[in-house]
Amino acid sequence: MVRWEPGARERLQAAALELYAARGFEQTTAADVAESVGLTERTFFRYFADKREVLFDGQDRFRQAFLDGVAAAPAGASAFEVVAVAVLAASSFFPDERRSFARLRQAVIVANPGLQERELLKMAGLADAVAGALRARGTREPQATLAAETCMTAFGVAFRQWIAPPEERSLADIARDVLGELRALTGPDD
Amino acid sequence: MVRWEPGARERLQAAALELYAARGFEQTTAADVAESVGLTERTFFRYFADKREVLFDGQDRFRQAFLDGVAAAPAGASAFEVVAVAVLAASSFFPDERRSFARLRQAVIVANPGLQERELLKMAGLADAVAGALRARGTREPQATLAAETCMTAFGVAFRQWIAPPEERSLADIARDVLGELRALTGPDD
């Protein structure tokens, strides 16, 4: 019999992050995580495929935030303008109250090459999805891929700045600056 | 006693790629690879840490090609001009006679998420190295990271085009075009 545990997903996520940060990812089992919040290992696996995936939950909604951004860009926008809208749309996925969670998660990921690889694959998958959405809008290749990957670069740079103490600006504000820097990079007066 | 096997490294690499492509990476052991060219598993492990690393040999020289490019760029060059030189320098690492090997390697990697992740981590490490070299030249952040990651994007797009049949242009020629497209992407007339 499968019982629904109210808030179990969120409790497991918070507990996992705390234990991975304190003891190390390798040293923590799914059972440890479940027990620390009074749940069973079996409940853990009802929500997450393994102890790694608990760190990558919410990926579909994050991807959708990018795609919604692409869809929201005006019809005549250039590929770069479209990705700029997508980056800002995705930024709204990380309001300031998620900053400390995001910071802790990043510390756990940076400490483990296997998790870094998983994170990079996630971002590559996002870039592919954005490139596909750009092509569907009529952007040709290689512009679609260049714009999509550049979009991920801008998002990544902004995100790492957002979680770097003592940064206090919102992710969207930082992303706007980074997009400006990216524009200046290839411009004539760089 | 450690015996030196002439050409063993290259024979193991070629055999590994062939077996991974034919049977699948997961289905092939280091012993299979070694035996197929009349060597022992022990010899395999004298050259490669594991059956994955045989696909990532030559990484240090590849990284050095990028860094040599950064070093070769003229003193007053913009960050984007410096990475353009680095991308072209790295392109020379893949002369046309390596195209079929590169194509086969890519097919093996694309078929296996673990290998894709390893490849992405390699490219991320390269971007970090290039960003470091740019900072050492005086480029400030976030330009250094933006330029370095954009450099990897351009290289990756050019590389995938280079190995896509029936492409016949050299990697350097394709890279030049891609760098032009990247410049146009953020330009006023995009």
Side-chain angles (χ1 to χ4, degrees):
Chain A
M1 196 192 79
V2 174
R3 273 194 311 145
W4 176 254
E5 300 280 355
R9 176 183 290 274
E10 293 72 22
R11 282 157 64 207
L12 286 166
Q13 276 185 293
L17 197 57
E18 209 163 294
L19 288 175
Y20 298 166
R23 296 186 194 173
F25 175 74
E26 293 295 350
Q27 287 72 44
T28 309
T29 66
D32 294 338
V33 172
E35 279 160 26
S36 78
V37 286
L39 296 171
T40 63
E41 190 180 8
R42 202 174 141 191
T43 303
F44 181 97
F45 289 115
R46 200 181 302 152
Y47 292 97
F48 304 105
D50 57 41
K51 69 173 187 169
R52 193 167 85 150
E53 288 313 303
V54 68
L55 292 169
F56 295 93
D57 196 48
Q59 214 171 306
D60 293 345
R61 278 171 293 135
F62 183 44
R63 170 186 301 232
Q64 200 52 51
F66 276 103
L67 297 181
D68 289 350
V70 172
S78 72
F80 189 79
E81 286 163 357
V82 174
V83 303
V85 175
V87 167
L88 295 175
S91 298
S92 70
F93 193 75
F94 292 97
D96 280 347
E97 58 267 30
R98 289 190 67 183
R99 195 180 326 229
S100 59
F101 180 94
R103 192 176 281 157
L104 199 55
R105 177 179 177 280
Q106 191 75 1
V108 169
I109 285 174
V110 165
N112 186 293
L115 296 175
Q116 275 176 59
E117 291 180 350
R118 176 72 179 77
E119 179 81 348
L120 288 167
L121 192 64
K122 180 183 90 174
M123 298 308 280
L126 280 172
D128 284 348
V130 171
L134 282 167
R135 285 192 300 271
R137 282 178 69 104
T139 303
R140 62 181 180 87
E141 287 293 356
Q143 271 87 349
T145 297
L146 288 172
E149 297 200 1
T150 303
C151 159
M152 287 307 137
T153 293
F155 185 85
V157 167
F159 186 83
R160 288 191 296 271
Q161 178 60 35
W162 181 61
I163 59 173
E167 181 63 61
E168 291 195 338
R169 288 174 297 162
S170 72
L171 180 54
D173 282 349
I174 300 168
R176 253 182 290 271
D177 285 355
V178 170
L179 288 163
E181 299 271 13
L182 194 55
R183 224 177 245 284
L185 192 69
T186 57
D189 303 312
D190 176 45
Chain B
M1 196 193 77
V2 173
R3 273 194 312 146
W4 174 254
E5 299 280 356
R9 175 184 291 274
E10 293 72 22
R11 282 156 63 206
L12 287 166
Q13 276 184 291
L17 198 56
E18 208 163 295
L19 288 174
Y20 298 167
R23 296 186 194 171
F25 174 75
E26 293 295 351
Q27 288 70 45
T28 308
T29 66
D32 294 338
V33 173
E35 280 159 25
S36 78
V37 287
L39 296 171
T40 64
E41 191 180 8
R42 205 174 139 189
T43 302
F44 181 98
F45 289 116
R46 201 181 300 152
Y47 292 97
F48 305 105
D50 57 41
K51 68 172 188 170
R52 193 167 84 148
E53 287 313 302
V54 68
L55 292 169
F56 295 93
D57 195 47
Q59 213 171 309
D60 292 346
R61 278 171 294 136
F62 183 45
R63 171 185 300 230
Q64 200 52 51
F66 276 103
L67 298 181
D68 288 350
V70 172
S78 74
F80 188 79
E81 286 163 354
V82 173
V83 302
V85 175
V87 167
L88 295 175
S91 298
S92 69
F93 193 74
F94 292 98
D96 281 346
E97 58 265 31
R98 290 189 68 183
R99 194 180 325 228
S100 60
F101 180 94
R103 190 176 283 157
L104 198 57
R105 179 180 176 278
Q106 192 76 1
V108 169
I109 285 175
V110 164
N112 185 292
L115 295 175
Q116 276 176 58
E117 291 180 349
R118 176 73 179 78
E119 180 81 347
L120 289 166
L121 192 64
K122 180 183 91 173
M123 298 309 279
L126 278 172
D128 284 349
V130 171
L134 282 167
R135 284 191 302 270
R137 284 178 68 105
T139 303
R140 64 182 179 86
E141 286 293 356
Q143 271 88 350
T145 296
L146 289 173
E149 297 200 0
T150 303
C151 162
M152 288 306 137
T153 293
F155 185 85
V157 167
F159 186 83
R160 289 191 294 271
Q161 179 59 36
W162 181 62
I163 60 172
E167 180 63 61
E168 292 195 338
R169 288 174 297 161
S170 72
L171 180 53
D173 281 350
I174 301 167
R176 254 182 290 270
D177 283 356
V178 171
L179 288 162
E181 300 271 13
L182 194 55
R183 223 178 246 284
L185 192 70
T186 57
D189 301 314
D190 176 48

